[in-house]
Amino acid sequence: MTTPLEIVFARLDAAHEPACAVLVGHDLALSPAVQSLNGRSGGQLIKAAEAAEFKGKQKTSIEILAPQKLDVQRLVLVGTGKAADQEESDWATTGGYALGQITARKVSEASLVAEVANAGGIKPEVIAANLAFGALLRHYAFRKYLTKKNGDDGSAGNGEQKPPADRLTKLVVHCADPEKAKAAFEARRAVADGIYVARDLVNEPANILGPVEFAERVKALEHTGLEVEILDDAALKEIGMNTLLSVAQGSARPARVAIMQWHGAKSKRAKPLAFVGKGVVFDTGGISIKPAAGMEDMKGDMGGAAAVVGVMVALAARKAPVNAIGIIGLVENMPSGTATRPGDIVVSLSGQTVENLNTDAEGRLVLADVLWYVQDRFKPRFVIDLATLTGAIMVALGKNFAGLFANDDKLADQLIAASKATGEKVWRMPLDKSYDRMMDSKNADVKNMGGRWGGACTAAAFLKRFIKEDVAWAHLDIAGTAMDAPKSEINTSWGSGWGVQLLDRFVAENFEKAEK
């Protein structure tokens, strides 16, 4: 729902747009291109920087209006800090910051000179591609329902989003080798597409995006090359997904499960990578109802499902040479005369009986059946689930880290490495037998609540009951990172799309080379 941003790569000596941003390193280190601009302006860039006490520190900037002898109206100097110390994700952050400075000037077209002094070991085209990637992520804005800002007459016109006159629509990235930068950017654009999809899903209000509507949006993604199958409530009942259906039974809106398949590996028999997402489109808590304050945020309780859709879009868009499965359970948790009651016992797809002690601990019931189903049907290489599962994970880690639980050290280490590379932070949490014992029930095989303490850990222990012994599995509790996460230079949206970058990098670094 964001106004498209056209990103074009051009040579360093190509004409600049009237608004232009250039990169300046620590202690005013200038690249050859910026040195040339400074020389042509009679040293105005350095003079202005010194007057403003601008040192080139990262996330700082100054603006020079109508610089002498330069064909630009606005020149923004953006600090990078010590360029040699920057990682790839840092350049995306700088790109997002630069775009924020550009858009604050309310221009429709702009240039970004993507050349830095003393860049270190990262190739210039990779720096340019990451700057563009960060800019694209920063550009996202969910404006779908802001009708007075869309149409000239205060209306939404034909219902399609119309860019405001002051909204940036084109960014020209000037670099040493535009063709190489463009090629490097294509894979990043695919990831950005997936993040945009995930953000759009999380930002939608629940009256628009119910389980059926969510499933329809996933079905509409078949044009990307994904194979999509939708299981309706009748099919789910026949299959035996009773714990998932028990969450949905209080709502007038029926449950759905959406299955996405990407077949990119040379061998169709290659075991797929499996990603599972919790998709509670709105969570009132059910009979164990939540407090009213802040309940509106529960439209984002499907952030895990959104991330799974996003990563599947990214893999398909860049034609990743792997086989992958994305499966999401879509329900709405509502109180009513037909809702599940505390104390109810249901038989899960695995055959285990589950006692529901608190209907607000519903996400794990959705995941239990979907996790078992994906293992049983697809025999994947591993399973990773993402879920806005517990408030306890935010008590433990805040809103900058997701909790990582895993039964396999290698899988955990791979996810941690991807986290460090992308900046989507995870912290490994304990998955100890003591938590498992807390999930034992006197009346059934397992209960859905483990008591007051260690709520994120007991929730993970519950999920582990539905993982087969020989299956590598990781659980990401993204309650703090998927929605209303701290704003950053690459995300100013309420829905962050967290997890798409992480999982795409995880797949690319660990599985694609072996499949080529």
Side-chain angles (χ1 to χ4, degrees), residues 164-248:
D166 61 356
R167 184 72 171 161
L168 188 71
T169 58
K170 180 180 180 182
L171 180 67
V172 181
V173 180
H174 298 262
C175 54
D177 193 327
E179 290 303 316
K180 285 185 178 180
K182 182 180 178 181
F185 177 62
E186 286 308 306
R188 291 163 175 81
R189 184 193 292 276
V191 177
D193 287 346
I195 293 170
Y196 271 42
V197 168
R199 288 177 179 176
D200 278 348
L201 289 168
V202 175
N203 283 325
E204 280 284 5
N207 62 312
I208 301 298
L209 194 72
V212 172
E213 293 81 11
F214 197 135
E216 289 172 348
R217 291 201 186 186
V218 175
K219 188 67 175 177
L221 293 172
E222 286 187 317
H223 69 88
T224 65
L226 292 173
E227 179 184 314
V228 179
E229 177 185 0
I230 306 297
L231 303 178
D232 63 17
D233 51 339
L236 298 175
K237 186 173 183 180
E238 183 176 353
I239 290 168
M241 292 198 189
N242 298 319
T243 58
L244 181 150
L245 289 170
S246 73
V247 177

Side-chain angles (χ1 to χ4, degrees), residues 139-163:
H139 182 71
Y140 178 91
F142 190 77
R143 303 169 62 92
K144 182 178 178 181
Y145 300 105
L146 299 176
T147 59
K148 291 183 179 180
K149 295 183 180 181
N150 285 344
D152 294 334
D153 60 354
S155 69
N158 61 2
E160 295 184 1
Q161 191 166 353
K162 180 180 179 180

Side-chain angles (χ1 to χ4, degrees), residues 324-381:
I325 304 293
I327 181 168
I328 55 177
L330 304 171
V331 300
E332 182 176 52
N333 188 22
M334 297 289 282
S336 74
T338 61
T340 292
R341 297 157 291 267
D344 284 0
I345 295 175
V346 295
V347 181
S348 70
L349 180 60
S350 71
Q352 298 175 78
T353 54
V354 180
E355 184 180 20
N356 190 335
L357 297 182
N358 187 317
T359 64
D360 195 24
E362 84 300 330
R364 63 201 69 182
L365 302 179
V366 174
L367 290 172
D369 279 343
V370 178
L371 284 168
W372 191 266
Y373 181 81
V374 76
Q375 294 170 87
D376 200 46
R377 176 177 169 183
F378 294 105
K379 310 294 188 294
R381 185 178 298 188

Side-chain angles (χ1 to χ4, degrees), residues 285-297:
I287 297 298
S288 308
I289 198 164
K290 294 177 181 291
M295 193 191 289
E296 67 276 8
D297 286 352

Side-chain angles (χ1 to χ4, degrees), residues 377-394:
R377 176 177 169 183
F378 294 105
K379 310 294 188 294
R381 185 178 298 188
F382 63 77
V383 179
I384 297 174
D385 75 75
L386 297 91
T388 51
L389 204 63
T390 67
I393 200 64
M394 290 187 279

Side-chain angles (χ1 to χ4, degrees), residues 202 282-283 294-302 483-484 494:
V202 175
F282 194 80
D283 181 20
M295 193 191 289
E296 67 276 8
D297 286 352
M298 289 300 97
K299 71 175 186 177
D301 207 21
M302 30 59 70
M483 54 182 172
D484 196 28
W494 186 81

Side-chain angles (χ1 to χ4, degrees), residues 396-418:
L397 300 177
K399 293 175 74 68
N400 288 297
F401 281 78
L404 166 63
F405 300 82
N407 67 356
D408 183 273
D409 289 340
K410 181 180 179 181
L411 181 60
D413 289 344
Q414 290 170 335
L415 286 167
I416 291 168

